[in-house]
Amino acid sequence: MDGGAPYNPRTVEEVFRDFKGRRAGLIKALTTDVEEFYQQCDPEKENLCLYGFPSEQWEVNLPAEEVPPELPEPALGINFARDGMQEKDWLSLVAVHSDVWLLSVAFYFGARFGFDKTDRKRLFNMINDLPTIFEVVTGTAKKQVKDKSSVSNHSSNKSKSNSKRSSEPQIKNTKAVQSKDEEEEGLEEEDEEEHGETLCGACGENYASDEFWICCDICEKWFHGKCVKITPARAEHIKQYKCPSCSNKRIRP
C-alpha cells in the first residue's frame, strides 16, 4: 500500500475527492482492466485484497503489515472465491466489498479529522449521488438479491436447487454439512426455514441441498466448500475449521 495515502484529506471536499479517485481505480479494475485483475487474483496465492488509490489506480496486494493499518482493510481473500463461481458473479461480489471499503475509508477520515454532523451528512449526500461500484459493474441497482434466479442459466439452476433445503440440522459444532436426504423426517421442516436464510460468507449465495457446506468455528459463518477450497474428504480431518478471513486476521497487541 505504498501509494495508498499520499496525503491526508481534511475537508469534506478533499475526502470526497479522495473517495472519487479510489472509486475510479476500483471501477477500472473491475471493468476495463478486468482481465489483468482476474489474472492477479490467483487462488493459489496468499490472502489478497483489492486497493483503490486517490490517483485512480488500483492494486492487488497482501493486507497491510503495519498494526494498525493506515486505512481500514478491504475484504480479505478475494482471490479464494475466484474459481468457485462464474466470473461476473465473482466481480459483483468484489464490487460489493469495494463499496463497503470506500465508505469505511471516507468516514474513517471524517472521524479522524472531527467532522461534525453537518459535514458527515454533506459527505454522505455527495457520495450517495454517485452510483455504487456494484451498480456500475452489474449495470443495474438492487439486483444482487432480487434477480439472482434470472441473471444466468447457472443462477437458474442454483435457484432450483435452493428450493430443496437440506434436512441436516445446522449445528455450529458440526465441521461440515453435506446435503443428503438421509436425515430424520421430523427435522426437515425446521431446517428448511433455517437453511433458507443461510448465505455463503464468501459468495453470498443461498444454501442449496445439493452443495457441500462448512461452518467456521470462529465466526460461525457458513461457506460453500468450493468457495473456500474445502472438500468433504478434507473436512473430515479438520478438527477446528477457520475460514480464510479468520485464518488471516492478525493478532493485535
Side-chain angles (χ1 to χ4, degrees):
M1 282 186 64
D2 293 338
Y7 65 95
N8 287 327
R10 295 175 179 271
T11 67
V12 172
E13 287 72 23
E14 287 176 339
V15 171
F16 182 60
R17 186 161 56 247
D18 179 274
F19 176 92
K20 288 197 299 181
R22 295 179 190 276
R23 174 178 174 274
L26 294 171
I27 290 176
K28 186 184 299 182
L30 298 173
T31 54
T32 58
D33 296 348
V34 67
E35 290 304 320
E36 181 183 353
F37 171 65
Y38 185 90
Q39 293 301 323
Q40 290 190 28
C41 291
D42 185 350
E44 299 303 320
K45 294 182 179 179
E46 296 181 64
N47 210 352
L48 296 175
C49 303
L50 173 61
Y51 294 95
F53 299 135
S55 59
E56 301 188 4
Q57 300 301 312
W58 60 273
E59 178 183 72
V60 172
N61 209 337
L62 295 171
E65 293 182 359
E66 58 263 29
V67 181
E70 187 177 2
L71 296 174
E73 286 182 347
L76 302 175
I78 59 171
N79 51 315
F80 294 146
R82 192 196 73 177
D83 295 341
M85 54 203 305
Q86 287 198 357
E87 181 177 330
K88 63 179 179 179
D89 293 331
W90 174 68
L91 292 173
S92 298
L93 178 67
V94 176
V96 171
H97 287 302
S98 297
D99 281 319
V100 174
W101 181 67
L102 279 179
L103 284 173
S104 67
V105 170
F107 283 91
Y108 163 82
F109 283 131
R112 181 175 176 181
F113 297 112
F115 286 8
D116 60 19
K117 179 179 179 180
T118 301
D119 285 342
R120 292 195 305 271
K121 183 176 181 179
R122 187 155 63 94
L123 174 61
F124 178 80
N125 288 336
M126 294 168 73
I127 291 173
N128 209 34
D129 284 338
L130 296 174
T132 64
I133 297 177
F134 176 80
E135 290 170 346
V136 173
V137 171
T138 61
T140 184
K142 299 181 181 179
K143 172 181 168 185
Q144 184 182 17
V145 175
K146 293 183 179 179
D147 297 338
K148 278 181 182 176
S149 61
S150 61
V151 169
S152 63
N153 290 333
H154 121 280
S155 295
S156 296
N157 292 336
K158 283 190 175 180
S159 67
K160 290 178 183 177
S161 66
N162 286 344
S163 64
K164 301 177 182 178
R165 303 302 179 193
S166 168
S167 55
E168 174 98 16
Q170 186 174 350
I171 302 172
K172 294 304 180 184
N173 291 332
T174 301
K175 304 306 176 196
V177 174
Q178 186 168 12
S179 302
K180 293 182 180 178
D181 296 327
E182 300 174 353
E183 305 300 324
E184 298 180 6
E185 293 181 0
L187 295 173
E188 186 170 353
E189 293 183 1
E190 177 182 351
D191 292 319
E192 282 181 358
E193 295 178 359
E194 289 183 5
H195 288 305
E197 300 300 323
T198 302
L199 300 178
C200 175
C203 70
E205 292 284 355
N206 290 331
Y207 178 90
S209 62
D210 60 349
E211 295 177 306
F212 167 71
W213 279 50
I214 188 167
C215 180
C216 175
D217 287 311
I218 306 302
C219 65
E220 297 190 344
K221 292 181 180 178
W222 290 95
F223 298 86
H224 290 106
K226 63 184 180 182
C227 290
V228 292
K229 294 186 174 295
I230 298 293
T231 63
R234 183 179 174 188
E236 292 180 0
H237 302 286
I238 298 176
K239 293 183 179 180
Q240 183 185 53
Y241 174 67
K242 293 183 181 180
C243 67
S245 178
C246 291
S247 295
N248 286 276
K249 283 183 178 177
R250 296 187 300 271
I251 300 176
R252 303 193 177 190

